[in-house]
Structures are given as structure tokens and as C-alpha cells.
Amino acid sequence: MLVSIYRYNPETDDKPVMQDIEVEIPQDQDLMVLDVLELVKEIDPTVSYRRSCREGVCGSDGMNINGTNGLACITPLSEVVKPGKKLILRPLPGLPVVRDLVIDMSLFYQQFEKIKPYLIDSNPAPAIERLQSPEDRKKLDGLYECILCACCSTNCPSYWWNPDKFIGPAGLLQAYRFLADSRDTAATERLANLNDPFSVFRCRGIMNCTAVCPKGLNPTRAIGHIRSMLIQKGS
Amino acid sequence: MVSSVTNLGRRGLYDWLVQRFSAVILASYCFCLLGSFVVHPDMDYLQWKALFDSNTMRIYSLITLLSLCAHAWVGMWIISTDYLTPMLLGNRATFVRLFCQVGSAILIAIYLIWGVQILWGN
Ligand code: SF4
Ligand code: SF4
Ligand code: FES
């Protein structure tokens, strides 16, 4: 099988090139894209990418696979390439490339940091732990599972245009995760920090984020909830 | 909170609501005009003029015109801050963006004054 890989070392190369590498795929097996990359690395050890858990938990191998963002380790070949066609691997779009498929995630993390991704509770700490009813806990389902792989934010046109100002779907999903937490007491300040023309309102609701989230989460819906909260506060 | 980029101290929610409300008014005006064409399929110039002689229609048209201006301004501001960024234009970005924003504002103001003249002129 022919694998076409984006190769770029900003320190030595003028511009990126696509390198074609022929890989022998074992018969009658549906490999994951990450397995193919490992085979590629045996042929050309200079190909660079991030990986760790190889089971969709760590979020380190987000990349653009035949035009769609996803985690290489849980994307079966059969899902992305038709038999006899090329597998095309590029880095996640919109962020600076460090080397080949490895991108610089600093901007992405800065946006995450901005939303204060931790519980703020001004009540005095109880003796044992802060309790939450099962119903309140349930409100966090579909929010807390995010692994910060950046597949969504790097698939969002609004994030491409303003990666330094628009929080992006991943950060906003987490912003809502803390707004929705019954133990958090900082909702007013959190909302005030989001009510500018960029942080939330650059979202155009085209759901590119939701379409690619490998964990099946729905940032667009969370952004809608944040907007409703802002409208309620504002009126 | 993002406060730079010719933000003029505006709030995101305010812009968002302006766009939604003005869009509703624009849509309603279009339906009303289309409706009057359906009711009077053979409308001539005199009937058309009589329609706009009533103050109700003039005020409705003025509200629509104001909505159009507000809608256009928010829209142009968003487009300019989406596409005319330092990422695309480097150091010139702020200048180009401001130029486009001032240009849009002037054009919108001209259309508004012109529109009022048309509505209340003869
Ligand atoms: S729904 Fe919003 S956040 Fe998601 S891709 Fe579209 S613009 Fe981006
Ligand atoms: S919301 Fe989904 S796609 Fe986005 S960072 Fe989290 S897990 Fe990845
Ligand atoms: S290697 Fe951990 S998510 Fe793919």
C-alpha cells in the first residue's frame, strides 16, 4: 500500500513535501492507521509523529488522515481508504508544524488555560470531600471525557482565522464543563470572561468540531449552552 | 477576555443579538413586500408610490434600513477581523483592517442618509 506522508523540518526545509512510501500490509487484517505508521517508521526511521497509549486515551496522535482529522490509533484503515488507494497523512491543520506530523500545540493549550479549567469553589473546604448528587454529576457526561487531542479545534475555520482570540471548540467544551458543575461558584466571572466578540461568538455553528471528535463529544451543543447562559445573564 | 483589535469596547452578546434581531426584521420586511406583490400582481408606479406615502410604511422601511445598516456593520466588522489578520497580512494587517472598517462605516452612513432622503423625498 502506498502511504503519502507530509514531511517538513522547519529548521532545514524551505517548504513541506509529500513523501510516498510503499508499505507491505499483512493480508486479511484491518490495521489501524497508527500500525501503518509504525510500519513506515521501520522503513524510514526519520518520520516523526506523536503517540503514546495506542488506544484513544492519551490524545497525542491526532492527525489529518485522508482529509479528516482523527486519532491514528483508533482509525481503521478500511474506514479511511478504499482498497488500492493511497493513505494520505498530514499534520492537524492550522497550527505551526514542529516536524512532519508533530504540531506545536502551545496556542491550543493557551486557549484551554484561559477558561480556568479547574473547579473554583469559594465555600470553605469540607472535612472529607465536596459532594455532588448523581443527577448533578450526570450533567458532566459528554463534557469531561475530552482528551484534548485538538482534532476539533484544528478542524474549525473560525479557529484557523483567530487561533489567538477564539477559544475554539475544545476549550469551550471545557468552559461549559465547569459552568455546568454544581460545585463551581465562579459562573458569573467565567461568563464575564467569555463575553467579548471573539472568545465564544466566533463560533458559526457549522459543527466541523462535532463531526470529527474521536470521543463522540459535541462541542457545538456546549457552545450553544454557553450562549444561552450569556443571554440569561445579559437580560 | 479578548479586548484588543478595534473592539470599541463592544460585547460579544450585544453584537450577536443585534445580528439576530435585525435579521428577523429584514426577513419580515421582505415577506411584507413580496406579499404586497402577490396581493396586487398588476401594481403600477402610482400604487407603489401610494404604498410609500403612508407613514406606517415609511417608518417600517426606516426601521428596516436601520436594521440593514446595523446588520451590515456587524457583519463587515466580523469579516474584517476574521480575514484581515496579521497571519494573512503581516504588519500591515491593522492598517488594512482599519481602512476597511472605516470604509464600511462611511458607506453604510451614506446609504442610510440616502435611504432617508428617498423615503421622505418626493
Ligand atoms: S461549531 Fe463552532 S466551534 Fe465547532 S467547528 Fe463550527 S465554528 Fe468551530
Ligand atoms: S472535544 Fe473531542 S476532538 Fe476536541 S479535543 Fe476533546 S476529544 Fe479531541
Ligand atoms: S496514541 Fe493515545 S490517543 Fe492515539
Side-chain angles (χ1 to χ4, degrees):
Chain A
M1 170 190 228
L2 209 53
V3 185
S4 180
I5 300 189
Y6 177 101
R7 301 300 307 267
Y8 183 45
N9 178 353
E11 278 155 29
T12 56
D13 306 342
D14 287 341
K15 52 176 193 271
V17 286
M18 297 302 290
Q19 181 191 1
D20 283 352
I21 299 175
E22 184 68 42
V23 181
E24 203 62 51
I25 303 283
Q27 286 290 312
D28 305 323
Q29 272 188 40
D30 194 7
L31 294 188
M32 295 295 173
V33 173
L34 181 62
D35 301 327
V36 180
L37 262 174
E38 303 281 292
L39 294 175
V40 167
K41 201 155 172 89
E42 275 170 28
I43 301 167
D44 183 346
T46 63
V47 172
S48 307
Y49 52 90
R50 286 195 188 102
R51 53 98 17 122
S52 177
C53 71
R54 59 105 189 95
E55 55 186 3
V57 172
C58 70
S60 57
D61 63 345
M63 59 186 69
N64 188 275
I65 306 162
N66 285 48
T68 309
N69 291 354
L71 295 174
C73 61
I74 53 167
T75 305
L77 261 189
S78 60
E79 215 171 74
V80 284
V81 236
K82 296 205 180 74
K85 291 278 192 256
K86 251 203 256 186
L87 174 67
I88 305 167
L89 300 175
R90 296 174 197 271
L92 290 175
L95 289 175
V97 172
V98 176
R99 181 81 53 90
D100 303 342
L101 302 177
V102 179
I103 53 164
D104 178 355
M105 310 252 293
S106 315
L107 268 176
F108 177 79
Y109 292 135
Q110 274 165 30
Q111 296 299 358
F112 181 54
E113 219 181 317
K114 270 198 212 162
I115 61 109
K116 303 208 167 89
Y118 40 82
L119 204 66
I120 301 175
D121 192 339
S122 51
N123 300 316
I128 303 177
E129 58 190 332
R130 298 187 195 275
L131 292 176
Q132 189 170 41
S133 70
E135 294 76 46
D136 281 338
R137 167 61 189 76
K138 230 177 150 93
K139 291 184 188 146
L140 308 183
D141 286 345
L143 304 170
Y144 79 92
E145 298 94 329
C146 171
I147 55 173
L148 293 178
C149 64
C151 286
C152 55
S153 291
T154 57
N155 206 37
C156 169
S158 281
Y159 190 72
W160 295 338
W161 311 149
N162 284 297
D164 53 337
K165 301 191 193 69
F166 175 46
I167 302 278
L172 289 172
L173 186 81
Q174 289 319 297
Y176 183 61
R177 181 245 170 275
F178 288 99
L179 285 168
D181 195 312
S182 61
R183 300 161 297 177
D184 193 277
T185 55
T188 310
E189 298 88 75
R190 288 183 188 279
L191 288 173
N193 266 330
L194 293 172
N195 190 8
D196 61 78
F198 286 96
S199 301
V200 175
F201 287 99
R202 280 295 139 144
C203 170
R204 297 277 107 86
I206 50 169
M207 301 189 83
N208 264 18
C209 49
T210 307
V212 294
C213 176
K215 304 302 268 184
L217 309 179
N218 190 337
T220 315
R221 194 195 300 141
I223 295 168
H225 287 314
I226 297 179
R227 226 188 262 127
S228 316
M229 290 177 96
L230 280 167
I231 291 171
Q232 269 167 21
K233 282 265 165 203
S235 56
Chain B
M1 172 119 173
V2 177
S3 49
S4 58
V5 202
T6 51
N7 187 338
L8 302 178
R10 290 204 322 254
R11 319 233 86 192
L13 180 63
Y14 174 78
D15 276 13
W16 192 81
L17 288 174
V18 164
Q19 265 197 318
R20 289 341 180 245
F21 275 122
S22 58
V24 170
I25 293 172
L26 288 172
S28 81
Y29 192 77
C30 288
F31 281 123
C32 283
L33 272 195
L34 282 177
S36 70
F37 285 133
V38 172
V39 178
H40 309 285
D42 47 354
M43 176 135 44
D44 57 17
Y45 175 72
L46 286 178
Q47 278 171 312
W48 179 250
K49 199 166 176 306
L51 180 65
F52 282 89
D53 274 342
S54 75
N55 267 333
T56 326
M57 193 58 190
R58 277 179 178 164
I59 288 167
Y60 188 20
S61 304
L62 181 66
I63 292 172
T64 306
L65 189 60
L66 287 171
S67 302
L68 183 65
C69 293
H71 199 85
W73 167 245
V74 175
M76 292 307 289
W77 185 82
I78 288 177
I79 291 172
S80 67
T81 48
D82 260 354
Y83 298 112
L84 306 178
T85 60
M87 250 194 322
L88 194 72
L89 303 169
N91 291 334
R92 291 169 304 149
T94 308
F95 174 76
V96 176
R97 197 171 53 240
L98 261 177
F99 182 79
C100 289
Q101 287 167 354
V102 171
S104 315
I106 292 174
L107 259 183
I108 289 170
I110 291 175
Y111 282 136
L112 181 62
I113 297 168
W114 193 8
V116 171
Q117 278 181 344
I118 292 172
L119 284 173
W120 268 273
N122 295 305

